[in-house]
DNA sequence: AATATAAATGAATGTTCATTCACTTACAAA
DNA sequence: TTTGTAAGTGAATGAACATTCATTTATATT
């Protein structure tokens, strides 16, 4: 039997995300995608059941790799400050390396009618739960609801990333997110979360 | 001459936002919108040049009202803590009153090919600039880049709002954003921003 | 070398899309 | 009451859409 062409699979995946980031969800048509990926429209349907399945699989793919990268070098017994900082750095690394993937991911998260599958995140969530519980027990962090923790700990980071990627400026000159700037914001976040 | 039917105009506006929030940008078709608004497709083109113009006008409309509400009872000479708290409360009030508008706005902001018109925000930005400058001068806030300030001050709030609206739960039980919870997070943010 | 099989194709299908246009309707001004 | 004009219409148009299918192609196994 004929073998699958891995290049075709990744071409479809990458071009699809590129198109969505460039033109939005309504900018992605199967025929334009096929042309961009150098493939017949029918070939896409070998890899994906239909358009919706394509989008969901892309989302799951990015979600999985993003959270894997976020946990590199991390374990829940690290000190609160060190553990959180590793995650900030890991996330930034991924975002700068795969800005298209991340922007697709964010656009997807802010859209409706979405299969918000959390299966892939079980391991990640388990780690975070332990990490936060430890931090509270050790007195490194105030006790609070997980959504509030998440919003303080990561809302700030994501907002800065959005400024960086979307080149939206607050006062005129564009904002470039560097590690020192990350550190400035991170120190504020740590201060906020301390008991 | 015949007079404009204000009801038609607002029906088109509200149904359009509803459809986008429910089904995403690709879920909005002019014919479906016309039917939902109880109007002929051609009527939409009296109010809006085309589909793109419709989306842009909706965005500008929401952006304008949102920022107007944000500034209610606010002036840049208020103390840093009081001024920021008023804005947090105003924003929450708007979001809870017009969740569809806000979700449309957020979906739009995270999508590309967008006319990010900032004209309406001149007054808002001027106010915020003064407010932040005063706060730094008075020693109520650390000196920092505006994007970092923005991310710490509002990134947290927006993240909590997203948990509330999208009913995405961190640990299983859904998160309901109330004023006491807002206050908890707000106090942390103020602590983070203090010199 | 022959064969079986899944990959890959391009053209075709029926549907839905944004937009237009010839026409009718309501109303303010005369 | 007549009239000018902008609001509002439903049907029509051609383009673009997602998906399918009969067919061809490449390769691993025999």
């Amino acid at each position: 039997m004929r073998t699958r062409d891995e290049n075709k699979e990744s071409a479809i995946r990458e071009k699809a995300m590129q198109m969505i980031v460039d033109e939005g969800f309504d900018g992605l048509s199967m025929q334009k995608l096929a042309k961009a990926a150098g493939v017949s429209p029918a070939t896409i349907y070998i890899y994906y059941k239909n358009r919706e399945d394509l989008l969901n699989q892309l989302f799951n793919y990015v979600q999985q790799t993003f959270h894997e990268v976020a946990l590199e070098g991390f374990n829940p017994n690290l000190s609160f400050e060190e553990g959180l900082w590793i995650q900030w750095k890991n996330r930034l690394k991924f975002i700068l390396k795969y800005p298209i993937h991340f922007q697709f991911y964010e656009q997807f998260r802010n859209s409706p009618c979405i299969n918000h599958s959390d299966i892939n995140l079980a391991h990640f969530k388990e780690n975070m739960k332990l990490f936060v519980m430890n931090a509270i027990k050790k007195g490194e962090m105030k006790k609070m609801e997980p959504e509030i923790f998440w919003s303080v700990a990561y809302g700030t980071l994501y907002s800065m990333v959005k400024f960086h990627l979307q080149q939206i400026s607050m006062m005129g000159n564009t904002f470039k997110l560097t590690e020192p700037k990350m550190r400035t914001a991170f120190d504020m976040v740590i201060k906020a979360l301390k008991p």
Side-chain angles (χ1 to χ4, degrees), chain A residues 53-193:
Chain A
D53 180 51
L54 163 66
L55 292 172
N56 283 322
Q57 281 201 44
L58 289 181
F59 177 73
N60 286 330
Y61 168 79
V62 174
Q63 175 161 261
Q64 177 119 35
T65 56
F66 186 52
H67 283 88
E68 272 167 15
V69 169
L71 288 188
E72 274 171 17
F74 175 89
N75 85 67
N77 299 315
L78 282 135
S79 82
F80 182 60
E81 188 168 336
E82 193 184 355
L84 202 57
W85 178 239
I86 285 175
Q87 285 213 34
W88 273 46
K89 276 194 300 180
N90 284 344
R91 279 164 203 259
L92 183 69
K93 197 177 66 189
F94 179 91
I95 291 161
L96 296 182
K97 194 167 174 187
Y98 305 107
I100 301 300
H101 293 219
F102 180 75
Q103 283 175 94
F104 161 76
Y105 180 67
E106 282 299 292
Q107 212 176 126
F108 200 93
R109 283 211 303 159
N110 282 280
S111 75
C113 65
I114 286 318
N115 151 291
H116 272 219
S117 142
D118 279 3
I119 311 159
N120 312 318
L121 276 68
H123 174 245
F124 174 80
K125 283 192 170 180
E126 191 52 43
N127 264 279
M128 284 305 288
K129 194 177 162 183
L130 273 172
F131 178 60
V132 168
M133 272 171 43
N134 284 341
I136 294 173
K137 197 160 53 184
K138 287 188 278 180
E140 294 172 316
M141 183 186 133
K142 230 191 308 208
K143 192 164 170 28
M144 66 188 80
E145 283 188 80
E147 287 83 4
I148 296 183
F149 159 71
W150 188 272
S151 297
V152 175
Y154 296 109
T156 302
L157 171 60
Y158 280 62
S159 171
M160 288 194 301
V161 163
K162 227 164 263 184
F163 278 119
H164 176 95
L165 289 176
Q166 297 191 1
Q167 308 271 37
I168 295 168
S169 71
M170 204 83 264
M171 306 308 280
N173 44 345
T174 57
F175 177 72
K176 214 167 170 325
L177 184 53
T178 58
E179 197 171 304
K181 286 181 194 173
M182 286 266 288
R183 189 70 216 191
T184 302
F186 181 78
D187 289 340
M188 287 194 273
V189 165
I190 288 291
K191 199 163 92 180
L193 291 169

Side-chain angles (χ1 to χ4, degrees), chain A residues 4-5 7-17 19-20 27-58:
Chain A
R4 269 200 188 199
D5 188 339
N7 296 333
K8 279 192 210 307
E9 186 164 7
S10 72
I12 293 169
R13 198 191 324 120
E14 300 303 317
K15 292 287 179 186
M17 287 197 266
M19 284 175 72
I20 288 166
L28 178 84
S29 92
M30 301 305 262
Q31 337 217 34
K32 282 199 296 181
L33 172 57
K35 184 162 279 181
V39 134
S40 157
T43 304
I44 301 173
Y45 290 85
I46 294 170
Y47 295 93
Y48 305 98
K49 223 180 78 206
N50 50 38
R51 196 185 116 106
E52 195 190 330
D53 180 51
L54 163 66
L55 292 172
N56 283 322
Q57 281 201 44
L58 289 181

